[in-house]
Coordinates of all heavy atoms in Angstrom, one line a residue:
G25 N 137.6 -0.1 0.2 CA 137.7 -1.0 -1.0 C 136.4 -0.7 -1.9 O 135.4 -0.6 -1.4
S26 N 136.7 -0.6 -3.2 CA 135.6 -0.3 -4.1 C 134.6 -1.4 -4.1 O 133.4 -1.1 -4.3 CB 136.2 0.0 -5.5 OG 136.9 -1.2 -5.9
L27 N 134.9 -2.6 -4.0 CA 133.9 -3.7 -4.2 C 133.1 -3.7 -2.9 O 131.8 -3.8 -3.1 CB 134.7 -5.0 -4.3 CG 133.7 -6.3 -4.3 CD1 132.9 -6.3 -5.6 CD2 134.5 -7.6 -4.3
R28 N 133.5 -3.6 -1.7 CA 132.7 -3.5 -0.6 C 131.9 -2.3 -0.6 O 130.7 -2.4 -0.2 CB 133.6 -3.6 0.7 CG 134.1 -5.0 1.1 CD 134.6 -5.0 2.5 NE 135.8 -4.1 2.6 CZ 136.4 -3.8 3.7 NH1 135.8 -4.1 4.8 NH2 137.5 -3.0 3.7
S29 N 132.4 -1.2 -1.1 CA 131.6 0.0 -1.2 C 130.4 -0.2 -2.1 O 129.3 0.3 -1.9 CB 132.5 1.2 -1.6 OG 133.4 1.5 -0.7
F30 N 130.7 -0.9 -3.2 CA 129.7 -1.1 -4.2 C 128.5 -2.0 -3.6 O 127.4 -1.7 -3.7 CB 130.2 -1.7 -5.5 CG 129.2 -2.1 -6.5 CD1 128.7 -1.1 -7.3 CD2 128.7 -3.4 -6.7 CE1 127.7 -1.4 -8.3 CE2 127.7 -3.6 -7.6 CZ 127.3 -2.7 -8.4
V31 N 129.0 -3.0 -2.9 CA 128.0 -4.0 -2.4 C 127.1 -3.3 -1.3 O 126.0 -3.5 -1.2 CB 128.7 -5.2 -1.8 CG1 127.7 -6.1 -1.1 CG2 129.3 -6.0 -3.0
R32 N 127.8 -2.5 -0.5 CA 127.1 -2.0 0.7 C 126.7 -0.5 0.6 O 126.3 0.1 1.6 CB 128.0 -2.2 1.9 CG 128.4 -3.6 2.2 CD 129.3 -3.7 3.4 NE 128.7 -3.2 4.6 CZ 129.3 -3.1 5.8 NH1 130.6 -3.5 5.8 NH2 128.7 -2.5 6.8
R33 N 126.8 0.0 -0.6 CA 126.5 1.4 -0.7 C 125.1 1.9 -0.4 O 124.2 1.0 -0.6 CB 126.9 2.0 -2.2 CG 126.0 1.4 -3.2 CD 126.5 1.8 -4.6 NE 125.7 1.3 -5.7 CZ 126.0 1.5 -6.9 NH1 127.0 2.2 -7.3 NH2 125.2 0.8 -7.9
K34 N 124.9 3.1 -0.1 CA 123.6 3.5 0.3 C 123.1 4.6 -0.7 O 123.9 5.2 -1.3 CB 123.6 4.1 1.8 CG 124.1 3.2 2.8 CD 124.1 3.9 4.2 CE 124.6 3.0 5.3 NZ 124.8 3.8 6.6
F35 N 121.8 4.7 -0.9 CA 121.3 5.7 -1.7 C 120.3 6.6 -1.0 O 119.5 6.1 -0.1 CB 120.5 5.0 -2.9 CG 121.4 4.4 -3.9 CD1 121.7 3.0 -3.7 CD2 121.9 5.0 -4.9 CE1 122.5 2.4 -4.6 CE2 122.8 4.4 -5.8 CZ 123.1 3.1 -5.8
Q36 N 120.3 7.8 -1.3 CA 119.4 8.8 -0.8 C 118.5 9.3 -1.9 O 119.0 9.6 -3.0 CB 120.2 10.1 -0.2 CG 119.4 11.1 0.3 CD 120.1 12.3 0.7 OE1 121.3 12.4 0.5 NE2 119.4 13.3 1.5
V37 N 117.2 9.3 -1.6 CA 116.2 9.7 -2.6 C 116.1 11.2 -2.5 O 115.7 11.8 -1.4 CB 114.9 9.1 -2.4 CG1 113.8 9.6 -3.4 CG2 115.0 7.5 -2.5
V38 N 116.5 11.9 -3.6 CA 116.4 13.4 -3.6 C 115.3 13.9 -4.7 O 115.3 13.5 -5.7 CB 117.7 14.0 -4.1 CG1 117.7 15.5 -4.2 CG2 118.8 13.6 -3.1
P39 N 114.3 14.6 -4.1 CA 113.2 15.1 -5.0 C 113.8 16.2 -5.9 O 114.3 17.2 -5.4 CB 112.2 15.6 -4.0 CG 113.0 15.9 -2.8 CD 114.1 15.0 -2.7
A40 N 113.6 16.0 -7.2 CA 113.9 17.1 -8.3 C 112.8 17.9 -8.6 O 112.9 19.1 -8.8 CB 114.5 16.4 -9.5
V41 N 111.6 17.3 -8.7 CA 110.3 18.0 -9.0 C 109.3 17.5 -8.0 O 109.1 16.3 -7.9 CB 109.9 17.7 -10.5 CG1 108.5 18.5 -10.7 CG2 110.9 18.3 -11.4
K42 N 108.6 18.5 -7.4 CA 107.8 18.1 -6.2 C 106.3 18.5 -6.5 O 105.9 19.6 -6.2 CB 108.3 18.9 -5.0 CG 109.7 18.6 -4.6 CD 110.1 19.5 -3.4 CE 111.7 19.4 -3.2 NZ 112.0 20.4 -2.0
D43 N 105.6 17.5 -7.0 CA 104.1 17.7 -7.2 C 103.7 19.0 -7.8 O 102.9 19.7 -7.2 CB 103.5 17.6 -5.7 CG 102.0 17.3 -5.8 OD1 101.5 16.8 -6.7 OD2 101.3 17.8 -4.8
I44 N 104.2 19.3 -9.0 CA 103.9 20.6 -9.6 C 102.7 20.3 -10.6 O 102.6 19.3 -11.2 CB 105.1 21.2 -10.3 CG1 105.6 20.3 -11.5 CG2 106.2 21.5 -9.4 CD1 106.6 21.1 -12.4
S45 N 102.0 21.4 -10.8 CA 100.9 21.4 -11.8 C 100.8 22.6 -12.5 O 101.0 23.7 -12.0 CB 99.5 21.1 -11.1 OG 99.4 19.9 -10.3
F46 N 100.6 22.6 -13.8 CA 100.5 23.8 -14.7 C 99.9 23.4 -16.0 O 99.8 22.3 -16.4 CB 101.9 24.5 -14.9 CG 102.9 23.6 -15.6 CD1 103.0 23.7 -17.0 CD2 103.7 22.7 -14.9 CE1 103.9 23.0 -17.7 CE2 104.6 21.9 -15.7 CZ 104.7 22.0 -17.0
D47 N 99.5 24.5 -16.7 CA 99.1 24.3 -18.1 C 99.5 25.4 -19.0 O 99.8 26.5 -18.6 CB 97.6 24.1 -18.2 CG 96.8 25.4 -17.8 OD1 97.3 26.1 -16.9 OD2 95.7 25.6 -18.3
I48 N 99.6 25.1 -20.3 CA 100.0 26.0 -21.3 C 98.9 26.1 -22.4 O 98.6 25.1 -23.0 CB 101.3 25.7 -21.9 CG1 102.4 25.6 -20.9 CG2 101.7 26.7 -23.0 CD1 103.7 25.1 -21.3
G49 N 98.3 27.2 -22.6 CA 97.2 27.4 -23.6 C 97.8 27.3 -25.0 O 98.9 27.7 -25.2
A50 N 97.0 26.8 -25.9 CA 97.4 26.7 -27.3 C 97.7 28.1 -27.8 O 97.0 29.0 -27.6 CB 96.3 26.2 -28.2
G51 N 98.8 28.3 -28.4 CA 99.3 29.6 -29.0 C 100.1 30.4 -28.0 O 100.6 31.5 -28.4
E52 N 100.2 30.1 -26.7 CA 100.9 30.9 -25.8 C 102.4 30.7 -25.8 O 102.9 29.7 -26.2 CB 100.4 30.4 -24.3 CG 99.2 31.1 -23.9 CD 98.9 30.8 -22.4 OE1 99.0 29.7 -21.9 OE2 98.7 31.9 -21.7
I53 N 103.1 31.6 -25.3 CA 104.5 31.5 -24.9 C 104.5 31.6 -23.4 O 104.0 32.6 -22.9 CB 105.4 32.6 -25.5 CG1 105.4 32.7 -27.0 CG2 106.9 32.4 -25.0 CD1 106.2 33.9 -27.6
V54 N 105.0 30.6 -22.8 CA 105.0 30.6 -21.3 C 106.4 30.3 -20.8 O 107.2 29.4 -21.3 CB 104.1 29.3 -20.7 CG1 104.3 29.3 -19.2 CG2 102.6 29.7 -21.1
G55 N 106.9 31.3 -20.0 CA 108.2 31.1 -19.5 C 108.4 30.5 -18.1 O 107.6 30.7 -17.3
F56 N 109.4 29.7 -18.0 CA 109.7 29.1 -16.7 C 111.0 29.8 -16.2 O 112.1 29.6 -16.9 CB 109.9 27.6 -16.8 CG 108.7 26.9 -16.5 CD1 107.5 27.0 -17.3 CD2 108.5 26.0 -15.5 CE1 106.4 26.3 -17.1 CE2 107.4 25.3 -15.2 CZ 106.3 25.5 -16.0
L57 N 111.0 30.4 -15.0 CA 112.2 31.0 -14.4 C 112.6 30.3 -13.2 O 111.8 29.5 -12.6 CB 111.8 32.4 -14.1 CG 111.1 33.3 -15.1 CD1 110.9 34.7 -14.4 CD2 111.9 33.5 -16.4
G58 N 113.8 30.4 -12.8 CA 114.3 29.9 -11.5 C 115.8 29.7 -11.6 O 116.4 29.6 -12.6
P59 N 116.4 29.5 -10.4 CA 117.8 29.3 -10.3 C 118.3 27.9 -10.9 O 117.4 27.0 -11.2 CB 118.2 29.3 -8.8 CG 116.9 28.9 -8.2 CD 115.8 29.4 -9.1
N60 N 119.5 27.6 -11.2 CA 120.0 26.3 -11.5 C 119.6 25.3 -10.4 O 119.7 25.6 -9.2 CB 121.5 26.3 -11.7 CG 121.9 27.2 -12.9 OD1 121.2 27.3 -13.9 ND2 123.2 27.6 -12.9
G61 N 119.2 24.1 -10.9 CA 118.8 23.1 -10.0 C 117.3 23.1 -9.5 O 117.0 22.4 -8.6
A62 N 116.6 24.1 -10.1 CA 115.2 24.3 -9.5 C 114.3 23.2 -10.1 O 113.2 23.0 -9.5 CB 114.7 25.7 -10.0
G63 N 114.7 22.4 -11.1 CA 113.9 21.4 -11.6 C 113.2 21.8 -13.1 O 112.3 21.0 -13.5
K64 N 113.7 22.9 -13.6 CA 113.1 23.3 -14.8 C 113.4 22.3 -16.0 O 112.6 21.9 -16.7 CB 113.5 24.7 -15.2 CG 113.4 25.7 -14.2 CD 113.8 27.1 -14.5 CE 115.3 27.2 -15.0 NZ 116.2 26.9 -13.8
T65 N 114.6 22.0 -16.2 CA 115.0 21.1 -17.3 C 114.4 19.7 -17.1 O 114.0 19.0 -18.0 CB 116.5 21.1 -17.3 OG1 117.1 22.3 -17.8 CG2 117.0 20.0 -18.5
T66 N 114.5 19.2 -15.8 CA 113.8 17.9 -15.5 C 112.4 17.9 -15.9 O 111.9 16.9 -16.4 CB 114.0 17.7 -14.0 OG1 115.4 17.6 -13.6 CG2 113.3 16.4 -13.7
T67 N 111.7 19.0 -15.6 CA 110.3 19.1 -16.0 C 110.1 19.0 -17.5 O 109.3 18.3 -18.0 CB 109.7 20.5 -15.6 OG1 109.7 20.5 -14.1 CG2 108.2 20.6 -16.0
L68 N 111.0 19.7 -18.3 CA 110.9 19.7 -19.7 C 111.2 18.2 -20.2 O 110.4 17.7 -21.1 CB 111.9 20.6 -20.3 CG 111.3 21.8 -21.1 CD1 110.6 22.7 -20.1 CD2 112.4 22.6 -21.8
K69 N 112.2 17.6 -19.7 CA 112.5 16.3 -20.1 C 111.4 15.2 -19.7 O 111.3 14.1 -20.5 CB 113.9 15.9 -19.5 CG 115.0 16.5 -20.1 CD 116.4 16.1 -19.5 CE 117.6 16.8 -20.3 NZ 118.9 16.3 -19.7
G70 N 110.8 15.5 -18.7 CA 109.8 14.6 -18.3 C 108.5 14.7 -19.2 O 107.8 13.8 -19.6
I71 N 108.2 16.0 -19.7 CA 107.2 16.2 -20.6 C 107.4 15.5 -22.0 O 106.5 14.9 -22.5 CB 107.0 17.7 -20.9 CG1 106.3 18.4 -19.6 CG2 106.0 18.0 -22.1 CD1 106.3 19.8 -19.7
C72 N 108.6 15.6 -22.4 CA 108.9 15.1 -23.8 C 109.5 13.7 -23.8 O 110.0 13.2 -24.8 CB 109.8 16.1 -24.5 SG 111.5 16.2 -23.9
G73 N 109.4 13.0 -22.6 CA 109.6 11.6 -22.6 C 111.2 11.2 -22.5 O 111.5 10.0 -22.7
L74 N 112.0 12.2 -22.2 CA 113.4 11.9 -22.1 C 113.8 11.4 -20.7 O 114.9 10.8 -20.6 CB 114.3 13.1 -22.5 CG 114.2 13.5 -23.9 CD1 114.9 14.8 -24.2 CD2 114.8 12.4 -24.9
L75 N 113.0 11.7 -19.7 CA 113.2 11.2 -18.4 C 111.9 10.5 -17.9 O 110.8 11.1 -18.0 CB 113.5 12.4 -17.4 CG 115.0 12.8 -17.4 CD1 115.1 14.0 -16.4 CD2 115.9 11.7 -16.9
P76 N 112.0 9.4 -17.1 CA 110.8 8.8 -16.6 C 110.4 9.6 -15.4 O 111.3 10.1 -14.6 CB 111.2 7.4 -16.2 CG 112.7 7.6 -16.0 CD 113.2 8.5 -16.9
I77 N 109.1 9.8 -15.1 CA 108.6 10.5 -13.9 C 108.2 9.6 -12.9 O 107.8 8.4 -13.2 CB 107.5 11.6 -14.3 CG1 106.3 10.8 -14.8 CG2 108.0 12.5 -15.3 CD1 105.1 11.7 -15.0
K78 N 108.2 10.0 -11.7 CA 107.8 9.2 -10.5 C 106.3 9.0 -10.5 O 105.7 7.9 -10.2 CB 108.3 9.6 -9.2 CG 107.9 9.0 -8.0 CD 108.5 7.6 -7.9 CE 108.2 6.9 -6.6 NZ 108.7 5.4 -6.6
S79 N 105.5 10.2 -10.7 CA 104.1 10.2 -10.5 C 103.6 11.4 -11.3 O 104.4 12.4 -11.5 CB 103.7 10.1 -9.1 OG 104.1 11.2 -8.4
G80 N 102.3 11.4 -11.5 CA 101.8 12.6 -12.2 C 101.2 12.3 -13.5 O 101.3 11.1 -14.0
T81 N 100.5 13.2 -14.1 CA 99.9 13.1 -15.4 C 100.3 14.2 -16.3 O 100.2 15.4 -16.0 CB 98.4 13.0 -15.3 OG1 98.0 12.0 -14.4 CG2 97.7 12.7 -16.6
I82 N 100.5 13.9 -17.6 CA 100.9 14.9 -18.7 C 100.0 14.7 -19.8 O 99.8 13.6 -20.3 CB 102.3 14.7 -19.1 CG1 103.3 14.8 -18.0 CG2 102.6 15.8 -20.2 CD1 104.7 14.3 -18.3
R83 N 99.1 15.7 -20.0 CA 98.2 15.6 -21.3 C 98.6 16.6 -22.3 O 99.0 17.8 -22.0 CB 96.8 16.0 -20.8 CG 96.3 14.9 -19.8 CD 94.7 15.1 -19.5 NE 94.2 14.0 -18.7 CZ 93.8 12.8 -19.2 NH1 93.9 12.6 -20.5 NH2 93.4 11.8 -18.4
Y84 N 98.6 16.2 -23.5 CA 98.9 17.0 -24.7 C 97.8 16.9 -25.6 O 97.3 15.8 -26.2 CB 100.2 16.4 -25.3 CG 100.6 17.0 -26.6 CD1 100.8 18.4 -26.7 CD2 100.8 16.2 -27.8 CE1 101.2 19.0 -27.9 CE2 101.2 16.8 -29.0 CZ 101.4 18.2 -29.0 OH 101.9 18.7 -30.2
D85 N 97.2 18.1 -26.0 CA 96.0 18.1 -26.8 C 94.9 17.2 -26.3 O 94.2 16.6 -27.1 CB 96.4 17.8 -28.2 CG 97.0 19.0 -29.0 OD1 97.0 20.1 -28.5 OD2 97.5 18.7 -30.1
G86 N 94.8 17.1 -25.0 CA 93.8 16.3 -24.3 C 94.0 14.9 -24.1 O 93.3 14.2 -23.4
D87 N 95.2 14.4 -24.7 CA 95.5 12.9 -24.6 C 96.6 12.7 -23.5 O 97.5 13.6 -23.4 CB 96.0 12.4 -26.0 CG 94.9 12.4 -27.0 OD1 93.7 12.3 -26.6 OD2 95.2 12.6 -28.2
D88 N 96.4 11.7 -22.9 CA 97.5 11.4 -21.8 C 98.7 10.9 -22.5 O 98.6 9.8 -23.1 CB 96.9 10.3 -20.8 CG 97.8 10.1 -19.6 OD1 99.0 10.4 -19.6 OD2 97.2 9.4 -18.7
I89 N 99.9 11.5 -22.4 CA 101.1 11.1 -23.0 C 102.1 10.8 -21.9 O 103.4 10.6 -22.2 CB 101.7 12.2 -23.9 CG1 101.9 13.5 -23.1 CG2 100.7 12.5 -25.0 CD1 102.8 14.6 -23.8
T90 N 101.7 10.6 -20.7 CA 102.6 10.2 -19.6 C 103.4 9.0 -19.9 O 102.9 7.9 -20.2 CB 101.9 10.0 -18.3 OG1 100.9 11.1 -18.1 CG2 102.8 10.0 -17.1
G91 N 104.8 9.1 -19.9 CA 105.6 8.0 -20.2 C 105.8 7.6 -21.7 O 106.5 6.7 -22.0
H92 N 105.2 8.4 -22.6 CA 105.3 8.1 -24.0 C 106.8 8.3 -24.4 O 107.5 9.3 -23.9 CB 104.4 8.9 -24.9 CG 103.0 8.4 -24.8 ND1 102.1 8.6 -25.8 CD2 102.3 7.8 -23.8 CE1 100.9 8.1 -25.5 NE2 101.0 7.6 -24.3
A93 N 107.3 7.5 -25.4 CA 108.6 7.7 -25.9 C 108.8 9.0 -26.6 O 107.8 9.4 -27.3 CB 109.1 6.5 -26.8
S94 N 109.9 9.6 -26.5 CA 110.1 11.0 -27.1 C 109.9 10.9 -28.7 O 109.3 11.8 -29.3 CB 111.4 11.5 -26.8 OG 112.5 10.6 -27.2
F95 N 110.3 9.9 -29.3 CA 110.2 9.8 -30.8 C 108.7 9.7 -31.3 O 108.4 10.3 -32.3 CB 111.0 8.6 -31.4 CG 110.4 7.3 -31.1 CD1 109.5 6.7 -32.0 CD2 110.8 6.6 -30.0 CE1 109.0 5.4 -31.8 CE2 110.3 5.3 -29.8 CZ 109.4 4.7 -30.7
R96 N 107.9 9.1 -30.5 CA 106.5 9.1 -30.7 C 105.8 10.5 -30.5 O 104.9 10.9 -31.2 CB 105.8 8.2 -29.8 CG 106.2 6.7 -30.0 CD 105.4 5.7 -29.3 NE 105.8 4.3 -29.4 CZ 105.6 3.5 -30.4 NH1 105.0 4.0 -31.4 NH2 106.1 2.4 -30.4
L97 N 106.4 11.3 -29.5 CA 105.9 12.7 -29.3 C 106.3 13.6 -30.4 O 105.5 14.5 -30.8 CB 106.3 13.1 -27.9 CG 105.8 12.3 -26.8 CD1 106.4 12.8 -25.4 CD2 104.3 12.3 -26.7
V98 N 107.4 13.4 -31.0 CA 107.9 14.2 -32.1 C 106.9 14.1 -33.3 O 106.4 15.0 -33.9 CB 109.3 13.9 -32.5 CG1 109.6 14.6 -33.9 CG2 110.3 14.2 -31.4
R99 N 106.4 12.8 -33.5 CA 105.5 12.5 -34.6 C 104.2 13.3 -34.3 O 103.4 13.5 -35.2 CB 105.2 11.1 -34.8 CG 106.4 10.3 -35.4 CD 106.1 8.9 -35.8 NE 107.2 8.3 -36.5 CZ 108.1 7.5 -36.0 NH1 108.0 7.2 -34.6 NH2 109.1 6.9 -36.6
R100 N 103.9 13.5 -33.0 CA 102.5 14.2 -32.6 C 102.8 15.6 -32.6 O 101.7 16.4 -32.2 CB 102.1 13.6 -31.4 CG 101.8 12.1 -31.3 CD 101.0 11.7 -30.1 NE 99.8 12.5 -30.0 CZ 98.9 12.2 -29.0 NH1 99.0 11.3 -28.2 NH2 97.8 13.0 -28.9
G101 N 103.9 16.2 -33.0 CA 104.0 17.6 -33.0 C 104.6 18.3 -31.8 O 104.5 19.5 -31.5
L102 N 105.5 17.5 -31.0 CA 106.1 18.0 -29.8 C 107.6 18.0 -30.1 O 108.1 16.9 -30.4 CB 105.7 17.3 -28.6 CG 106.1 17.9 -27.2 CD1 105.1 17.3 -26.1 CD2 107.5 17.4 -26.8
A103 N 108.3 19.1 -29.9 CA 109.8 19.1 -30.2 C 110.5 19.9 -29.1 O 110.0 20.9 -28.5 CB 110.1 19.7 -31.6
M104 N 111.8 19.5 -28.9 CA 112.5 20.2 -27.8 C 113.9 20.5 -28.4 O 114.5 19.9 -29.1 CB 112.7 19.2 -26.6 CG 113.6 19.9 -25.5 SD 113.8 18.7 -24.1 CE 114.9 19.7 -23.0
V105 N 114.2 21.9 -28.0 CA 115.6 22.3 -28.3 C 116.4 22.3 -27.0 O 116.2 23.1 -26.1 CB 115.6 23.8 -28.9 CG1 117.0 24.2 -29.2 CG2 114.8 23.8 -30.1
P106 N 117.2 21.2 -26.8 CA 117.9 21.0 -25.5 C 118.9 22.1 -25.1 O 119.5 22.7 -26.1 CB 118.5 19.7 -25.6 CG 118.7 19.5 -27.0 CD 117.7 20.3 -27.8
E107 N 119.2 22.3 -23.9 CA 120.4 23.0 -23.5 C 121.7 22.3 -24.0 O 121.8 21.1 -24.0 CB 120.4 23.1 -22.0 CG 121.7 23.9 -21.5 CD 121.7 23.8 -19.9 OE1 120.7 23.5 -19.3 OE2 122.8 24.1 -19.3
G108 N 122.5 23.0 -24.7 CA 123.7 22.4 -25.2 C 123.6 22.2 -26.7 O 124.6 21.7 -27.4
R109 N 122.4 22.3 -27.2 CA 122.2 22.2 -28.7 C 122.2 20.9 -29.4 O 121.3 20.5 -30.1 CB 123.0 23.2 -29.4 CG 122.8 24.6 -29.1 CD 124.1 25.4 -29.0 NE 124.0 26.6 -28.2 CZ 124.9 27.4 -27.7 NH1 126.2 27.0 -27.8 NH2 124.6 28.4 -27.0
G110 N 123.2 20.0 -29.0 CA 123.1 18.6 -29.5 C 123.2 18.5 -31.0 O 122.5 17.8 -31.7

Side-chain angles (χ1 to χ4, degrees):
S26 59
L27 178 60
R28 282 191 297 166
S29 295
F30 176 79
V31 172
R32 299 179 59 186
R33 66 185 178 182
K34 300 177 182 178
F35 288 92
Q36 177 185 10
V37 177
V38 177
V41 177
K42 308 173 187 176
D43 194 31
I44 66 170
S45 298
F46 62 91
D47 67 326
I48 302 174
E52 280 192 306
I53 304 176
V54 174
F56 268 63
L57 314 178
N60 291 333
K64 307 183 301 297
T65 295
T66 298
T67 299
L68 249 64
K69 289 183 175 180
I71 290 172
C72 64
L74 291 175
L75 278 179
I77 63 171
K78 177 67 175 177
S79 60
T81 303
I82 303 167
R83 293 190 176 276
Y84 173 58
D85 281 349
D87 296 328
D88 189 345
I89 61 167
T90 311
H92 285 206
S94 57
F95 72 91
R96 297 188 186 279
L97 296 178
V98 172
R99 290 192 173 99
R100 297 193 57 176
L102 191 155
M104 178 178 177
V105 179
E107 179 184 343
R109 297 144 199 160

